Amino acid sequence: MIDFSLTEEQEMIRDAARNFAQNELVDRARDADEEFNLPEDVTEGAWAMGFVAGAIPEANGGVGMDRSPTTNVLVLEELGAGCPSLASGAMSPSLFVNPLIDFGTDEQKAEYLPAFTGESFTAGTLAMQEPDFSFDPANIKTSATLSNGEYTLNGVKRLVPLAESSDHILVLAKTGEGIGLDTLDAFIVPRDASGLSISNERERTIGFQAVPHYTVTLDNVKVGASQRLGGEQGIDGARLVNSIRIGAAALAVGCARAATEFAIDYAKERHAFGKPIAQKQAIAFMIADMHTEVDAMRWMVWKAAALLEQNHPDATKATTLAQNYVQRKAMKVADDGIQVFGGHGFIRELPVEMWFRHMRTLTIIEGPVAA
Amino acid sequence: MDFTYSPGEQAMIEEYKRQGKILRQHARYWEEHESEVPPEEFPESADNPTPLLKLAIDKEGDSSGIVMGMMVTIYNSWGDTLSMKMGPGALGNAALAAAGTPEQKERWGNTRLAMSITEPGCGSDSKAVQTTAVLDGDEWVLNGDKIFVTTGVRADGVVVWATIDKSAGRAGIKSFIVMKGTPGFELVRKEKKLGIRADDTAALRFDDCRIPRDHLLGGDETVPKAGSGGFKGVMKTFNMTRPAVGAGGIGKALASHDHVTEQLAEQGFEVDWEKGRQNRSTIEQTMLETEADLEAATLTVYRAAWLSGQKKPNNLEASVAKSKGGEVARTGPQRMIEVLGAVGITHDHLVEKWLRDGRISDIYEGTGQIQRLIIAREIFGYTSAELD
């Protein structure tokens, strides 16, 4: 059945996320970006809303809400419309928490999830990205070799958010050979493990400057077999990667929506040659296309999230299509967003140039959050 | 939130595809016999009843009727422009049903009526109609040229737009029912087109064509004063013709993509959905992007239909859907020919035909540019006067 309806609960959570994003993120975005600062009250505020830890089972000390990618994309779109950078910083722990909920053994859940059920923001992260230009989650280079009951991890990870403040880093690695998302494994690695080093300097990036990203190097890091996520079974690599790709896409839809709404307001106020530029087809059509693509992108993301939630065999295909579509169209929307504002779009006073930088970030990296 | 087809819907779609492949066997013949009009019913239709029957398998989990109507339109268009069996009526019958008096419906309800609006000098700007109707005694006298009349050759008659008061603009335009055989009503030609050549598209002429006074559709001879009606920027209305035309365009592009997917599979090639962006071949990337575009367009069509089914206004979404459908009808088959390479332009494949057939989708029922005007007026809250 083709059905776009939301449950009442989903509408409530979406509205709460919208209020939070508009009230707590929008006004903080510029300073956070300029100051390379992820404000504590933002992360605490998002934490208090339960966006990250809500789905931690009651058995692990959580409130046990449904683990729902469809609800998550509604939340992430709203947060992305507030500020995708602050949103990603506040939601980074989802990169650790959601895979633990999805794939963790009972022992792993019991050991690692309670740390995220407290009242204060707790950092957690995932190390995925690698330095090669041909980086591909289906053919990851970081290796995990089993010997004498323990795994030895080797590899370099880039752009790991909050690595420095997370007690544990979930490291994506390959235990065998071959290509495909089913070759993926994840290891729960303590930040202070011997052989694990975190770059002294934060990574400098075009966007998401509020979020501290680091290079994490794994040089013969040894972890016990019990640190392999999912135990002997391992993980469903496609499901993990899909949830991350959908998360990034949902943030991008939100950011694109914000850019479109901002452009609409401006075009109606800004006069040129005697009338509002919104009354000129060259501008009106550009903004009409921005609106159209935000709609189209959103339904792509919803479909992928719905199939992921159903554990549908086409979930990976739907995710890849949504990711591809959003990466192309969201970038175009943010780019045209600048064009509508002309020179003002280039000045670091209005948010449009910032959204442009965030969007380039968001449409390249595999995902700063998990849906 | 659900984006899967029910078992019945899946069976229906498969049946549309199966029958579509039968129709494709006739596609080249009727394309090349452009001056003739294809039969209303193909011989195979006896053994191939409507795919809608497949829905009976299991009603559980079916989409709303309006959404399903869009599925039907997409996959009906997937085969070819031909129909296994034509239904009764044509676009003019919808106008008769919507605006005709009871007597008019009674009199002409069982005839096939085409709709005739477009003229050599006016298309999207339909208020610029030049064809005139002048009351002379108890008869209307019609004069003017009409083009692009769908079903105009086959139809028994037409509902034609003419102005009874040019100074009144849109308000002066009325619809008249004119039957074939009326003196002064001439079928000038069947149009020769880039695509949808089997489709019956006529050019008509009215030369002092006299029709009885009661042939004015709806019977209202008054001309409202300028400004009394008007065209609001934000229309809280339903529209399913725009999404349907978008759906038709999607069908052609989808046919191209499915065909090329099959061709590639025969050579052992298929898209690997797990492979990352940096490792895809150009062909993989092209197939993937085209499918993503098709999916996006399809979802905008379903969204517009779903809203309508929920009794929510969809004027904005209808134009979003039409604009996306029209776009993929152009870009989809274009890129599929690029994947096939030089052989893609030959008649070995129907893709070159679908490119030509689909090209009209971004033109009729409002060009892509008209859709953008409607979208922009909606999102800015402008009237047609504020953004024209």
Side-chain angles (χ1 to χ4, degrees), chain A residues 170-192:
Chain A
L170 197 57
V171 176
L172 290 192
K174 203 148 89 172
T175 50
E177 296 301 313
I179 296 175
L181 294 176
D182 57 355
T183 65
L184 271 181
D185 262 294
F187 293 87
I188 305 160
V189 183
R191 187 193 55 208
D192 54 9

Side-chain angles (χ1 to χ4, degrees), chain A residues 35-271:
Chain A
E35 294 163 6
F36 303 91
N37 178 39
L38 181 59
E40 203 179 297
D41 55 323
V42 165
T43 55
E44 292 297 340
W47 194 262
M49 298 291 292
F51 297 142
V52 173
I56 293 177
E58 288 179 28
N60 306 123
V63 292
M65 290 169 66
D66 287 343
R67 168 81 185 88
S68 169
T70 57
T71 303
N72 288 346
V73 296
L74 300 174
V75 169
L76 289 169
E77 177 181 330
E78 294 306 328
L79 299 184
C83 173
S85 168
L86 292 176
S88 85
M91 298 294 286
S92 290
S94 67
L95 291 166
F96 185 88
V97 169
N98 286 350
L100 257 291
I101 297 173
D102 290 343
F103 311 115
T105 62
D106 288 345
E107 294 75 25
Q108 288 168 339
K109 286 183 194 176
E111 186 168 352
Y112 298 104
L113 288 178
F116 296 90
T117 60
E119 287 186 0
S120 278
F121 177 82
T122 305
T125 191
L126 173 81
M128 181 180 197
Q129 212 76 34
E130 296 180 347
D132 289 4
F133 78 89
S134 61
F135 166 71
D136 183 347
N139 189 18
I140 217 151
K141 295 290 187 290
T142 299
S143 64
T145 321
L146 181 63
S147 164
N148 297 327
E150 60 180 12
Y151 285 96
T152 306
L153 274 61
N154 278 292
V156 178
K157 296 292 187 180
R158 296 291 306 267
L159 294 162
V160 183
L162 273 48
E164 216 252 347
S165 52
S166 300
D167 286 346
H168 294 91
I169 299 172
L170 197 57
V171 176
L172 290 192
K174 203 148 89 172
T175 50
E177 296 301 313
I179 296 175
L181 294 176
D182 57 355
T183 65
L184 271 181
D185 262 294
F187 293 87
I188 305 160
V189 183
R191 187 193 55 208
D192 54 9
S194 168
L196 186 151
S197 56
I198 296 172
S199 56
N200 290 327
E201 299 292 320
R202 295 166 52 145
E203 306 245 28
R204 288 297 303 272
T205 48
I206 183 173
F208 280 30
Q209 297 192 135
V211 187
H213 291 93
Y214 298 90
T215 296
V216 174
T217 306
L218 300 128
D219 183 12
N220 285 317
V221 174
K222 295 194 188 303
V223 293
S226 63
Q227 302 301 99
R228 182 187 181 197
L229 186 60
E232 281 179 24
Q233 275 202 321
I235 60 169
D236 179 345
R239 190 169 169 77
L240 174 75
V241 171
N242 290 341
S243 103
I244 288 169
R245 288 177 170 166
I246 291 169
L251 283 177
V253 172
C255 184
R257 191 185 91 199
T260 303
E261 287 168 358
F262 205 65
I264 289 171
D265 291 344
Y266 179 76
K268 290 176 73 176
E269 282 170 17
R270 172 74 181 186
H271 281 63

